[in-house]
Amino acid sequence: MSQASRILLSLLIGLAGGVALAHFARDAVAGTIAVAEPIGAAWLHGLQMTIVPLVVSLLVTGVAATAEAARAGRLAGRAIALYVTFLFLSAVIAAIATPVILAVAPLPAASAQALRAALVGAGKVPAVPPLGEFFAGIVPTNIVHAAASDAFLSLIIFTLVFAFAIARIDAEGRALLVRFFTALRDTMLVVIDWVLWIAPLGVFALALVVGARAGSGAFGALAHYILVVASVGVIVTLLAYPVAWAGARLNPSDFVRAALPSQAVAISTQSSLASVPAMLEGARTLGVPVRTAGVTLPLAVAIFRATGPAMNLAVAIYVATWFGVPLSPATLAIGVVVATLTSLGSVSLPGTVSYVSAIAPIAGTIGAPVAPLGLLVAVETIPDIIRTVGNVTMDLATTAWLGRREPRE
């Protein structure tokens, strides 16, 4: 059984056990929560302790890889510019679409209140500072304090400045620092693998408490969450078709047929990398030169996840709305920027790892609590399928776009 399946099964068993306990053994609820709550909180803290070093190392190595790819040639540079543009557009789509979806189909107030009370470690959401104070605090005076206080936007800004500065020093020093942060990244991935290995226990404990406190409404709330986040991913996926039709001037039916094999692989494997052979064949049938697809498709898989900014920001907006955090246009704009930047460092990671490392900084920046992510990561299977299908579809569409500008063989 895969890790994602084990975590999902633990969630379902925990929720069902908590609901059953509340209905049939109400006297045992308090004692059970007293045992399960610290276990869930401890696992959640273990997940949270990896976020800062993982985000920093991923951003540094991601920027280094992007800069190296941009130096590889004109085609790679144009591809990266196109990818960054679509990553930003992806986040903008989420900032507009998610509040609209939640306004049309909101989470029932009773379920939201019950889940707020049930979630371990969510804590009280701090008041959003005035806009002037917020912008004044973006540039950190003490990077150690910014990291310790989860000031993710300040941390990201410093890390990006540091990463771009690395690209300007001599080759020997640059290679040394990139190797250091690569080793830090790999070490943190080992740590988070250990934390996720015991995730079934932690998620079971969290779900047991939620089920006992929130009742059967927790199932409906999680289903609502999946539908909202998946809907945002579908919107981004559908964007690939006009990109192919208008940008690459393809016949609509030709692109649909060319994309189907890679989409089928994406659904069955939840892996963009495993879809590369099917995408290469699809690009060939669309008339994209081999020398173009051979560069752009591996590059897209390495540094471009079109659905990432949209679906990551959608999760953060969902949690913020769930906990009653006000989201002004300025706050959403900051969320768009952070979602775009963190997506550069989260590519080529397992879904459960990128879920935590990419969404926690966005949630922290817009004022949403991070604690619910420990529960929501357990139902990431369906959204992750949507993510992968959207990514490979957009990879093929942008490759066709870039291929139109290249001379045919």
Side-chain angles (χ1 to χ4, degrees), residues 174-192:
R174 182 168 64 247
L176 176 64
L177 284 172
V178 171
R179 284 199 302 271
F180 169 79
F181 281 101
T182 299
L184 176 61
R185 177 200 66 193
D186 293 344
T187 302
M188 292 313 303
L189 289 176
V190 171
V191 173
I192 202 169

Side-chain angles (χ1 to χ4, degrees), residues 94-109 224 227-229 231-232 314 317-318 320-322 327 332:
I96 296 171
T98 311
V100 171
I101 294 172
L102 288 172
V104 173
L107 177 65
H224 180 268
L227 289 173
V228 170
V229 174
S231 297
V232 175
I317 293 173
Y318 190 96
T321 305
W322 179 358
L327 295 175
L332 289 173

Side-chain angles (χ1 to χ4, degrees), residues 278-305:
M279 285 192 285
L280 285 169
E281 181 61 24
R284 187 189 67 78
T285 63
L286 292 173
V288 179
V290 174
R291 62 175 176 271
T292 300
V295 172
T296 59
L297 282 176
L299 188 61
V301 171
I303 66 173
F304 180 45
R305 280 185 176 173

Side-chain angles (χ1 to χ4, degrees), residues 360-383:
I362 305 170
T365 299
I366 67 174
V370 176
L373 300 183
L375 186 67
L376 298 178
V377 70
V379 292
E380 179 61 8
T381 301
I382 294 176

Side-chain angles (χ1 to χ4, degrees), residues 66-111:
T66 304
E68 190 66 30
R71 286 193 289 267
R74 182 173 60 88
L75 176 60
R78 286 198 0 248
I80 290 170
L82 185 64
Y83 298 156
V84 172
T85 300
F86 278 113
L87 289 174
F88 179 78
L89 180 60
S90 170
V92 171
I93 289 172
I96 296 171
T98 311
V100 171
I101 294 172
L102 288 172
V104 173
L107 177 65
S111 296

Side-chain angles (χ1 to χ4, degrees), residues 91-182:
V92 171
I93 289 172
I96 296 171
T98 311
V100 171
I101 294 172
L102 288 172
V104 173
L107 177 65
S111 296
Q113 177 59 36
L115 286 170
R116 283 197 297 269
L119 277 167
V120 178
K124 185 179 179 181
V125 178
V128 177
L131 192 59
E133 182 181 332
F134 175 80
F135 281 111
I138 286 178
V139 179
T141 57
N142 185 329
I143 191 59
V144 176
H145 180 267
S149 59
D150 291 338
F152 284 110
L153 184 56
S154 298
L155 183 65
I156 288 170
I157 287 175
F158 172 82
T159 304
L160 287 173
V161 170
F162 183 77
F164 283 114
I166 289 175
R168 302 297 298 271
I169 65 176
D170 64 274
E172 183 179 353
R174 182 168 64 247
L176 176 64
L177 284 172
V178 171
R179 284 199 302 271
F180 169 79
F181 281 101
T182 299

